[in-house]
Amino acid sequence: MNSFKRNIIVTGGAGFIGSHVVRLFVNKYPDYRIINVDALTYAGNLANLKDIEDAPNYLFVKADICDFDKMLSLVRDYGVDGIIHLAAESHVDRSIKDPFTFARTNVMGTLSLLQAAKIAWEERPEGYEGKLFYHISTDEVYGALELTHPDGLPSPFTTAASSSTNHHAYGEEFFLETTKYNPHSPYSASKASSDHFVRSYHDTYGMPVVITNCSNNYGPYQFPEKLIPLFINNIRHRKPLPVYGEGLNVRDWLFVEDHARAIDLIFHKGRIADTYNIGGFNEWRNIDIVKVLIRTVDRMLGNPEGYSDSLITYVTDRAGHDLRYAIDSRKLQRELGWEPTLQFEEGIERTVRWYLDNQEWLDSVTSGDYQSYYEQMYANR
Ligand code: NAD
């Protein structure tokens, strides 16, 4: 069973970011066994990993992270020496409707996994110095930043990816690793709580942990309740594009494969007990994203310019909607040499092309549960 150099659990590997992380590790490290632990909720889909499902170093285990006994037997039975924890309830709108599920999975689930990891850590072989527990979190734990420049300032950051036509910042402040936590939604509150538990396992028990807080990801395999895939799908099917408020909220966007590369680097080289922010140095107002998506989808489908503009539908703003998230990830750039590589325009081209070419995948994930949730969410707006 233990012919592999390392045995690593990736939780939430059937989800959006998790599937990219699993794919990267399975392909890049044939001598690691990658054990994907996922409960396959509405957001988990094994079709995301079709291309690697037969790889000899890949294993899928359907399990709920809240099941402590199961987590303990997994870490023991497979001699697990690294956990990359992505499993979570991840959609803010759902957290507003059903906060308990978020507390259960994101807080209790993380705690159950931590406790199992701690027992494995206490049973570790002599001389073991791994980073046992890598917790993936969000920049939303920091709360919101002021949107002081609604028309944008030139961004103070430059990276390999930053020749974007929209190289703006919408305020002067950025989230740093030292920014005080101030979560506003039940989702971000649950993630903040899990971050604190993870740190406490280092501070109390000496367990090696590392945490990263990342901005909004986009790319293939994202569940189409999130802005970018939802809107690509709606433009294609001539459905309304529900834009919250006036669409002026600002988010930083990072291509998911750049995030997966950062996770790989930090898993191997990050400093134990440290936190790293991960971001795209790439702020966009929601309404501008929507316009880019309309232009790109219309062009790819051969529609005349402006054909889908009338689909934009302004809807009542999300309760407690944070105005601006903007992340400063220069610590990661400085200390480990990571920066985003894909320009936003190219990332959007690749993403739109992927969703247009993968209608079957979209149909399979938008049937059933999600369809009724979507109808309920937007029925009265
Ligand atoms: P996702 O919703 O696409 O996937 C979550 C996965 O977790 C799914 O496969 C689901 O089946 C699984 N899961 C949910 N509950 C589980 C449970 N109780 N036990 C086992 N598996 C369970 O999420 P994502 O967008 O890929 O996000 C992954 C992680 O990254 C989350 O922790 C999220 O907070 C964090 N994050 C996401 C973003 C983003 O933009 N998507 C940004 C920063 C951080």
Side-chain angles (χ1 to χ4, degrees), residues 12-18 37-45 63-66 85-90 104-105 136-139 187 191 214-217 222-223 226 259:
F16 167 46
I17 303 172
V37 176
D38 197 298
L40 299 183
T41 67
Y42 79 95
N45 186 350
D64 185 334
I65 55 166
C66 300
H85 176 38
L86 295 111
E89 289 293 337
S90 67
R104 178 185 179 276
T105 293
I136 311 294
S137 192
T138 166
D139 61 351
Y187 164 65
K191 291 297 290 188
C214 186
S215 60
N216 278 20
N217 284 217
Q222 185 166 32
F223 194 82
K226 305 279 171 62
H259 188 189

Side-chain angles (χ1 to χ4, degrees), residues 1 24 34 44 67 108 110 132 168 183 232 240 257 268 271 278 292 297 370 372 378:
M1 176 171 283
L24 175 69
I34 305 304
D67 181 346
M108 292 306 290
T110 299
L132 188 66
H168 289 144
I232 296 171
E257 288 176 13
H268 290 97
R271 207 175 313 115
I278 309 175
V292 169
V297 176
Y370 170 66
S372 50
Y378 297 108

Side-chain angles (χ1 to χ4, degrees), residues 294-307:
I294 288 178
R295 265 205 311 278
T296 312
V297 176
D298 275 346
R299 174 168 47 73
M300 286 188 187
L301 292 180
N303 296 332
E305 211 179 310
Y307 181 67

Side-chain angles (χ1 to χ4, degrees), residues 85 102-115 117-118 133-135 137 141 181 188-211 273 275:
H85 176 38
F102 282 68
R104 178 185 179 276
T105 293
N106 299 359
V107 185
M108 292 306 290
T110 299
L111 187 54
S112 133
L113 196 61
L114 272 170
Q115 183 66 10
K118 169 189 164 263
F133 200 99
Y134 179 174
H135 179 60
S137 192
V141 298
Y181 276 30
S188 53
S190 68
K191 291 297 290 188
S193 169
S194 64
D195 293 9
H196 292 315
F197 269 112
V198 173
R199 282 196 190 94
S200 80
Y201 266 64
H202 173 267
D203 298 349
T204 308
Y205 307 111
M207 199 171 97
V209 305
V210 67
I211 299 178
T275 295

Side-chain angles (χ1 to χ4, degrees), residues 219-230:
Y221 299 109
Q222 185 166 32
F223 194 82
E225 65 187 348
K226 305 279 171 62
L227 191 139
I228 289 184
L230 174 72

Side-chain angles (χ1 to χ4, degrees), residues 62-188:
K62 184 172 186 305
D64 185 334
I65 55 166
C66 300
D67 181 346
F68 167 73
D69 292 338
K70 179 74 182 176
M71 293 304 114
L72 184 57
S73 70
L74 282 176
V75 287
R76 278 184 170 151
D77 292 353
Y78 289 107
V80 166
D81 58 1
I83 295 175
I84 305 177
H85 176 38
L86 295 111
E89 289 293 337
S90 67
H91 190 43
V92 175
D93 288 338
R94 285 181 188 259
S95 82
I96 294 168
K97 284 196 157 307
D98 176 19
F100 285 100
T101 302
F102 282 68
R104 178 185 179 276
T105 293
N106 299 359
V107 185
M108 292 306 290
T110 299
L111 187 54
S112 133
L113 196 61
L114 272 170
Q115 183 66 10
K118 169 189 164 263
I119 292 170
W121 165 246
E122 287 166 349
E123 295 169 354
R124 69 192 177 280
E126 208 170 309
Y128 171 78
E129 284 180 19
K131 237 181 298 309
L132 188 66
F133 200 99
Y134 179 174
H135 179 60
I136 311 294
S137 192
T138 166
D139 61 351
E140 300 188 30
V141 298
Y142 297 126
L145 292 168
E146 299 244 353
L147 203 164
T148 51
H149 293 74
D151 297 324
L153 295 163
S155 168
F157 307 128
T158 326
T159 71
S162 56
S163 72
S164 162
T165 46
N166 185 66
H167 194 46
H168 289 144
Y170 291 88
E172 276 147 1
E173 269 189 295
F174 297 88
F175 296 136
L176 287 163
E177 288 80 357
T178 48
T179 302
K180 207 169 127 226
Y181 276 30
N182 186 19
H184 294 142
S185 71
Y187 164 65
S188 53

